[in-house]
Amino acid sequence: MADFGYDVADYCDIDPMFGTLADFDRLLAAAHARGLKLLLDFVPNHSSDRHRWFTESRSSRDNPKRDWYIWRDAAADGGPPNNWISDFGGSAWEYDPATGQYYYHAFLKEQPDLNWRNPDLRAAMIDVLQFWLDRGVDGFRIDVLWHILKAADFPDNPLNPAYRPAMGEMHSVMQLHSTDQPEVHEIVAEMRDLADSYGRGGERVLIGEICLPLDKLVRYYGVGAPGVHLPFNFHLIDAPWQARALATFIDAYEAALPPGGWPNWVLGSHDARRVAARLGEAQARVAAMLLLTLRGTPTLYQGDEIGIGEVAIPAGQLVDPRELREPGLGLGRDPSRTPMAWDRSDNGGFTTGVPWLPLHSDWRQRNVAAEQGDPQSLVNFYHRLLTMRRASEALSIGQYVAVEAVGDILAYERRHDDERLLIILNLGDREQALPAQVHGATPLLCTLTARGDGRSMRPNEGAIFALPSDRGH
Ligand code: NOJ
């Protein structure tokens, strides 16, 4: 738990803190009985330093598992082998006096990187996927997939000329040689082959966590052979909340997808600031409408559907190593990892124990039970959006057609056969003109509750309109 589960000590078991394999099987069966799919987070880049593979690897230079991790001699001056920086700050190399070499860790020193160039390690990790697929999981979210291969000769990374300390030390160099090596696609294809062997047509899904610019990101759909089904597209989290910029990105993304590549959009995650904190509560509704009306699989992060905003974590309660290692830069992830509030009971009904982080301050009002009872709440708005999306082929599988991006207005159509929907989003807090096409029309769904004047988009308004079919004209 040095990085809260991203440091795995046994890939084929459940940590006793969370139960047993039998509990897992019950969870999976219960999810399936409700028509839910269950994915696991597969962490292939690094294990825990408590994994027995690493204990063996560090025991001597000629241990058979030595090469399952990345060991290098010191540089001529005795320092780390190169200038690679951990994503959590500081050198990514840790000196191990027992055998007189450094090992590489892209994250904490408690998370040594595995050596995917070693065929035995690679086979052992593919076996891990098979273990869980055989147990019936529906797929994996694959942690930092673009990290798993590094340049074979470990050259220094180029310095980043745009670096400022406030960005976090990891950005002092560009991760040119430490990530995204061309040979990674062959490994991804092997993972995909395995997933496909459990049923054609994507019964088991692979979602890759990949933080790269568009041109590099889409390569994870596959180079030469199929890659992951969904390389996570995190750009809604980073993009400026500005109509023209978003429209340009959506178009570029749609255009960059390979043939048959299915898009996806991520609005929040356990690593990012909460959407309501980033954009404010009123725009969080507009963002929900954007997420659930764009073409592609949406990823909605737990807690965002009740609008949890900024949570101030008192200094003594901070737990995220990202914050503790580079304090005060606002890089910590604790604020987006606070417990879900289910109801008004103690700890929001999340636990009868002591929660690992405090709840948001307004949890007695902002919880699932309270919001379910309020027709205008965010959670009920999400339900309406999801219901509409399920019922509408235009939304779930239809084409995306850009319409306009003027001022704060972002507008697009979704079309399938005769169904045409126009989505208009006001990304700002000022009134904007409503496109003439829908003057006087009543939207199918709107982020605001009171009726508008039918000629303008009110501040923070998003609306979905049905358009007449243009077929047969
Ligand atoms: C990405 C995960 O999302 C993050 O939470 C974690 O700290 C790193 N990978 C390291 O596994």
Side-chain angles (χ1 to χ4, degrees):
M1 294 298 277
D3 189 21
F4 303 112
Y6 287 102
D7 42 334
V8 177
D10 185 342
Y11 284 101
C12 296
D13 205 351
I14 300 294
D15 189 309
M17 176 186 283
F18 300 111
T20 62
L21 274 174
D23 293 330
F24 175 81
D25 291 340
R26 279 199 299 130
L27 172 69
L28 184 61
H32 285 170
R34 289 162 178 78
L36 298 171
K37 306 281 190 188
L38 193 123
L39 311 184
L40 290 186
D41 202 334
F42 179 51
V43 189
N45 181 68
H46 42 269
S47 73
S48 161
D49 63 345
R50 313 241 183 118
H51 197 296
R52 68 185 160 74
W53 295 344
F54 190 66
T55 314
E56 287 179 40
S57 184
R58 80 192 313 181
S59 67
S60 79
R61 288 198 188 196
D62 52 16
N63 183 278
K65 298 250 171 12
R66 182 68 170 182
D67 189 47
W68 284 34
Y69 292 84
I70 297 171
W71 293 96
R72 284 286 172 287
D73 289 334
D77 65 358
N82 68 22
N83 72 351
W84 295 3
I85 302 292
S86 153
D87 277 23
F88 292 154
S91 170
W93 296 94
E94 180 71 12
Y95 184 69
D96 199 39
T99 54
Q101 281 191 313
Y102 284 83
Y103 67 86
Y104 177 67
H105 56 90
F107 296 88
L108 297 174
K109 68 176 169 35
E110 292 82 3
Q111 296 168 293
D113 277 42
L114 291 159
N115 178 16
W116 277 82
R117 292 187 189 273
N118 179 297
D120 295 333
L121 175 278
R122 179 165 162 175
M125 291 300 276
I126 296 292
D127 283 352
V128 170
L129 291 174
Q130 193 165 354
F131 173 86
W132 294 105
L133 289 167
D134 285 344
R135 266 197 132 77
V137 302
D138 299 291
F140 302 92
R141 174 265 193 199
I142 308 177
D143 192 58
V144 294
L145 183 57
W146 86 110
H147 267 268
I148 66 174
L149 271 197
K150 347 299 173 185
D153 51 348
F154 293 86
D156 273 351
N157 273 326
L159 300 183
N160 176 4
Y163 170 64
R164 286 170 294 105
M167 297 164 135
E169 196 188 352
M170 68 173 280
H171 295 291
S172 63
V173 294
M174 295 189 285
Q175 298 187 333
L176 185 71
H177 302 300
S178 48
T179 65
D180 194 34
Q181 296 303 297
E183 310 94 294
V184 72
H185 297 292
E186 195 207 310
I187 298 177
V188 180
E190 187 180 350
M191 294 176 177
R192 173 64 179 265
D193 255 357
L194 178 69
D196 282 354
S197 72
Y198 285 78
R200 297 194 296 126
E203 278 80 2
R204 310 293 174 102
V205 72
L206 299 181
I207 305 176
E209 188 207 11
I210 296 143
C211 300
L212 285 174
L214 205 43
D215 54 326
K216 296 184 171 156
L217 173 66
V218 295
R219 292 173 64 81
Y220 286 77
Y221 280 103
V223 174
V228 292
H229 300 85
L230 300 172
F232 260 150
N233 164 14
F234 290 112
H235 291 270
L236 280 187
I237 293 177
D238 310 326
W241 203 247
Q242 200 266 334
R244 165 70 29 219
L246 280 181
T248 305
F249 180 77
I250 298 165
D251 288 346
Y253 180 63
E254 285 274 348
L257 292 169
W262 179 247
N264 79 93
W265 298 92
V266 182
L267 189 60
S269 89
H270 65 290
D271 294 329
R273 274 183 78 206
R274 286 216 173 260
V275 60
R278 297 195 314 263
L279 304 174
E281 192 168 341
Q283 273 299 312
R285 277 184 189 242
V286 178
M289 189 172 266
L290 175 71
L291 175 72
L292 293 171
T293 58
L294 284 173
R295 190 174 83 96
T297 299
T299 298
L300 164 61
Y301 177 55
Q302 64 95 20
D304 282 349
E305 73 276 53
I306 58 170
I308 298 178
E310 203 68 82
V311 187
I313 314 285
Q317 284 177 268
L318 293 165
V319 290
D320 183 13
R322 183 84 186 88
E323 175 67 32
L324 297 175
R325 285 170 57 94
E326 292 187 278
L329 300 180
L331 302 172
R333 303 162 300 176
D334 290 330
S336 60
R337 297 173 171 190
T338 60
M340 183 72 177
W342 296 108
D343 56 34
R344 290 178 58 86
S345 66
D346 288 351
N347 302 320
F350 183 80
T351 178
T352 52
V354 180
W356 75 317
L357 286 167
L359 277 83
H360 48 288
S361 57
D362 56 349
W363 65 270
R364 282 198 195 271
Q365 298 78 46
R366 190 182 294 286
N367 59 62
V368 176
E371 290 202 18
Q372 275 174 340
D374 169 7
Q376 315 307 345
S377 70
L378 185 57
V379 98
N380 280 323
F381 181 65
Y382 262 109
H383 280 156
R384 284 194 289 275
L385 271 169
L386 287 163
T387 305
M388 191 170 168
R389 186 183 163 95
R390 285 199 188 98
S392 158
E393 293 203 312
L395 287 183
S396 55
I397 56 170
Q399 255 182 291
Y400 169 88
V401 184
V403 173
E404 71 178 48
V406 178
D408 282 334
I409 294 291
L410 174 65
Y412 47 90
E413 261 188 49
R414 298 295 310 282
R415 294 185 187 185
H416 186 76
D417 292 339
D418 284 347
E419 191 188 1
R420 284 179 67 194
L421 297 175
L422 176 66
I423 294 96
I424 308 180
L425 306 173
N426 183 353
L427 303 185
D429 56 6
R430 282 172 314 194
E431 193 168 280
Q432 304 281 329
L434 185 66
Q437 198 179 5
V438 283
H439 274 183
T442 304
L444 299 172
L445 189 61
C446 181
T447 54
L448 305 180
T449 47
R451 288 292 301 276
D453 63 7
R455 303 187 71 81
S456 58
M457 286 296 281
R458 291 163 290 167
N460 305 307
E461 179 169 8
I464 305 176
F465 295 92
L467 295 180
S469 156
D470 58 1
R471 293 221 167 164
H473 293 288

